[in-house]
């Protein structure tokens, strides 16, 4: 375990990558919602106000993306 480091931004980015590589609509939505949750957790643990605002914006973006229908085709 690393002390003084926020592990949630890396986890949120991994969840976003998982969403982008998902093969069906339900896993796409679920992964974006998980990314939003992880961005919120990152914001809760962040002490820097600029990064906290960025993480909150990322959480809102991830949730908005989950609500939108998937427009692109999954990778082959």
């Amino acid at each position: 375990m690393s002390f003084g480091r926020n592990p949630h931004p890396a986890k949120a980015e991994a969840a976003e990558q998982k969403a982008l590589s998902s093969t069906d609509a339900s896993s796409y939505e679920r992964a974006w919602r998980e990314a939003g949750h992880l961005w919120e957790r990152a914001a809760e643990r962040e002490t820097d106000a600029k990064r906290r605002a960025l993480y909150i914006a990322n959480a809102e973006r991830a949730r908005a993306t989950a609500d939108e229908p998937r427009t692109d085709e999954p990778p082959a």
Side-chain angles (χ1 to χ4, degrees):
M1 175 181 228
S2 60
F3 293 97
R5 200 158 170 227
N6 191 345
H8 299 291
K11 292 178 182 181
E13 290 170 353
E16 288 181 356
Q17 289 298 318
K18 183 177 178 181
L20 293 173
S21 64
S22 66
T23 57
D24 62 4
S26 64
S27 63
Y28 175 81
E29 180 182 349
R30 205 169 33 250
W32 276 114
R33 294 207 187 280
E34 177 66 16
H37 173 71
L38 289 168
W39 281 122
E40 271 190 355
R41 288 190 71 182
E44 290 170 1
R45 287 160 175 78
E46 189 57 54
T47 56
D48 181 36
K50 286 184 179 180
R51 273 189 263 165
R52 186 180 311 123
L54 176 65
Y55 296 165
I56 290 170
N58 285 345
E60 292 171 358
R61 177 186 48 82
R63 288 201 172 96
T65 304
D67 291 337
E68 296 171 359
R70 187 172 190 161
T71 57
D72 62 329
E73 291 297 318

